[in-house]
Amino acid sequence: MPSNHSSFQQPLQSNNASPYNFQPQPPGTESSVLPRPTLGERMTCIVNASITCISSSPPSSVTASRSSSSHSLVKRNRTFATTTTHSLQGSFYDNAAATAITDATASRARTGASQTQGSSHVRHHSRQDDIAAGEREKGHDRLRLYVFGGFHQYTDAVNNDLYRLDVETMVWEKLIYTKGEPPSKRNDHSASLWGDDRIIIFGGSDERNQYCNDVHILNVRTLTWETPEVTGVIPVGRVKHSATIVDDRLYISGGCLDQEGVSQELLCLDLLTWEWDEPIDFVARYTHTLFEFRNKLFAYGGYNEEMDRTEVIAYMDLETNQVTKVSVSDEIAPNVAAQQFSQVCGRHLVVVISQGLRYELQKFTGGIWTLDLECFQWTKHDDWKILGENHTWHYFSMERDGDQFYLIGDINESDEYFKQILTIDMREYGSFQEPHVSIGQELGRLLQDQMALADFRIICTGTDAQANAAIQVVDPSTDYYPHSDASGDNDMMIDAQPIMVQRIRSQRQTPSSTRANSPQQEPILCHKLILMARWPHFASMVQSGMLEAQTSTLTLPEPYETVKGFIEYLYTDSIEDMSTDTIADLLVMGSMYVMRRLVHLCSAALHQQIDIETVSRIYHRAGLSGQVGLRQRALKFMFRNYGPVSKTIGFRSLPKEALFDFWDSTPEGAVINIAV
């Protein structure tokens, strides 16, 4: 890898005058993260427990015992007719959702924005308001894992113990002092997160091997157990079922019944009235994953009534109760006979196979897969080595609106099933939760064509010609994001026509695109009401009585195409048909203005648009906006295609801090293979 900076035709200088700061790789966010050891009192040799991931405030006036306890390690042989290995048992009973962990990326964006120098007064004022609002929203929530029940692998002793892991400190604690009557000892039950602070326990098998059908609630803030009185068509007890909560309704799918085989019912409990509905025929399945996506309930993986693993994905429309079954045949799909951990993340189903297992004289390779639920297309990302070659993972968990996939286990042959945590950042694979669409979408479409009623205008001082000049030739005196000129002498008047939803242009513009030669046009016309409803920065400006609000004119230092795309997003809640250049710039604007949905939409789109010509720009914008996963993916692409990428104008025009970060991120053992 060349390290001689003088090999570039022009000297590289840091854009110190730019209002944006490139954010290098933060410590601890490398793609191959080593497992982290845990401390404190934890379960030993416990399988078939439930594990729930919650981001919540720590409970007050309740203390946890740290007294030592021991489990008998007298080894006994135990076979499972329903599973391949005991580690699989724990994996399918974490079908609970969890609250969103505070987005570290958004936090870094706020920090970078608050430290920016040289920006206009109105922008600085609004950023501070956004930061304060974000901190109020974030509060002091901390991510915790709650483990309940299970049985001892060697003694068969069933328990109803409750443990909690603080993911920040990596310390386990056994929670002894709880209020209310806890559930009976059990395993093979389900635990589902309801709201932000309650766990719903259902079913399982007790210490007398009787199948349970009772419901229990744990309030994690007060550590209080409750047992509601349920009515309606009360179901029989079951084990190895799957559960999820949608709109205050607990759905239970499948499971094994006592002497009645595998259930194909879908049960539904109204959590507001505590009444069970009539069961609905769904699919016979157990030890599977149940999740909701776009008002449909999906059942993935597990075993069918013949005790065979199945590749059929079944889903039910929650409005019509219509059931559809899909068999996805793909050479790169994960093998159904292998051990799988699975959960939904955004529009993707994430499947992790932690180690190769022998099944009918075959070996299966582990790794990380995602299934696009919109087109049912599999993608394989990394092989099993990233999961630790000498580790066995017994459990997994994932927060509801987050993008971290947690594997829990230890080194091979260890009886410490909860000793180490491996975190997989799904953002690196283009999978994350999309924030919900807001009402601004409907308002924008209603008023979009009413430009005769426009009452606000936006002037862009950062011309596309200037922006591309910085890309075509590395000029130390040129910033990609020029500063606003209060005099207006250098303003470029752009496009007085209504903002168009459909743009006729190339999907991917390269640095030599037509953006560099945009003709002079009029300011962008828009509606103050839409901007206030969709843009918190603008609403703060208007409410504070700034001069721009009084004159109905706002000057922005970004290029015209970027601002036009930004306004179009505010109106339509969409970035479809925008060029890669524009989307990359919108990623930075969305991060600066703390607009999470825009950031996620741009990041998801850019994950799909990485190629030789675009990767350098995407890498740079990901660094400016603090998008660690996107930046890491771009880095991998650049390392694998260093020859052609290094010859592109985009790479050679990267600012010095971005190039230094690229070189600092290069693996120590990297070499360039030269064909002789």
Side-chain angles (χ1 to χ4, degrees), residues 463-479:
T463 68
D464 294 317
Q466 291 172 335
N468 280 320
I471 294 177
Q472 292 170 356
V473 178
V474 182
D475 185 351
S477 64
T478 305
D479 290 331

Side-chain angles (χ1 to χ4, degrees), residues 82-316:
T82 57
T83 60
T84 304
T85 174
H86 75 271
S87 64
L88 182 63
Q89 294 281 336
S91 67
F92 287 96
Y93 307 110
D94 173 32
N95 297 300
T99 56
I101 188 171
T102 303
D103 194 328
T105 300
S107 176
R108 288 192 295 273
R110 297 189 190 100
T111 303
S114 65
Q115 295 174 347
T116 299
Q117 301 295 326
S119 57
S120 64
H121 173 68
V122 58
R123 174 170 292 189
H124 176 73
H125 169 82
S126 179
R127 284 180 187 173
Q128 297 303 320
D129 290 346
D130 293 341
I131 294 169
E135 292 301 319
R136 288 193 298 269
E137 179 182 353
K138 182 174 76 170
H140 299 284
D141 289 355
R142 299 177 69 171
L143 187 68
R144 291 175 168 84
L145 302 182
Y146 290 81
V147 178
F148 173 76
F151 76 89
H152 197 280
Q153 171 69 14
Y154 303 125
T155 68
D156 292 346
V158 183
N159 74 81
N160 61 350
D161 296 334
L162 179 64
Y163 288 79
R164 179 175 64 199
L165 172 69
D166 188 317
V167 177
E168 181 177 332
T169 63
M170 298 299 290
V171 174
W172 284 103
E173 53 186 344
K174 184 177 182 180
L175 304 175
I176 293 180
Y177 299 107
T178 60
K179 303 175 184 178
E181 185 68 23
S184 61
K185 298 178 180 180
R186 64 187 65 202
N187 66 99
D188 281 337
H189 54 283
S190 62
S192 308
L193 183 67
W194 181 28
D196 295 336
D197 54 8
R198 285 167 290 182
I199 299 175
I200 306 294
I201 303 293
F202 173 77
S205 175
D206 63 19
E207 56 186 336
R208 297 186 301 273
N209 204 30
Q210 294 181 349
Y211 290 4
C212 306
N213 67 345
D214 49 351
V215 179
H216 300 269
I217 310 169
L218 173 64
N219 187 315
V220 298
R221 296 189 188 275
T222 63
L223 292 182
T224 301
W225 287 104
E226 299 178 39
T227 305
E229 295 184 6
V230 297
T231 60
V233 185
I234 299 177
V236 299
R238 63 198 64 213
V239 298
K240 306 183 191 302
H241 53 279
S242 188
T244 190
I245 295 177
V246 181
D247 295 333
D248 296 318
R249 299 175 71 84
L250 172 67
Y251 290 95
I252 305 293
S253 168
C256 297
L257 308 179
D258 189 11
Q259 299 179 354
E260 297 183 23
V262 181
S263 172
Q264 66 176 6
E265 296 175 336
L266 179 68
L267 310 177
C268 180
L269 174 64
D270 190 320
L271 299 179
L272 301 180
T273 64
W274 299 107
E275 181 177 1
W276 286 101
D277 293 343
E278 287 276 357
I280 303 173
D281 285 342
F282 184 28
V283 60
R285 201 72 61 88
Y286 65 96
T287 64
H288 56 295
T289 299
L290 183 71
F291 60 91
E292 183 269 344
F293 177 71
R294 297 192 176 172
N295 208 34
K296 295 179 177 63
L297 276 183
F298 285 76
Y300 170 79
Y303 296 82
N304 57 26
E305 58 268 45
E306 284 81 28
M307 298 177 60
D308 293 327
R309 287 191 178 273
T310 177
E311 65 178 6
V312 175
I313 301 174
Y315 63 88
M316 173 184 289

Side-chain angles (χ1 to χ4, degrees), residues 463 489-496 517-522:
T463 68
D489 293 339
N490 297 323
D491 290 350
M492 175 173 277
M493 300 302 192
I494 306 174
D495 196 2
N517 300 312
S518 301
Q520 290 191 351
Q521 299 175 20
E522 296 295 324

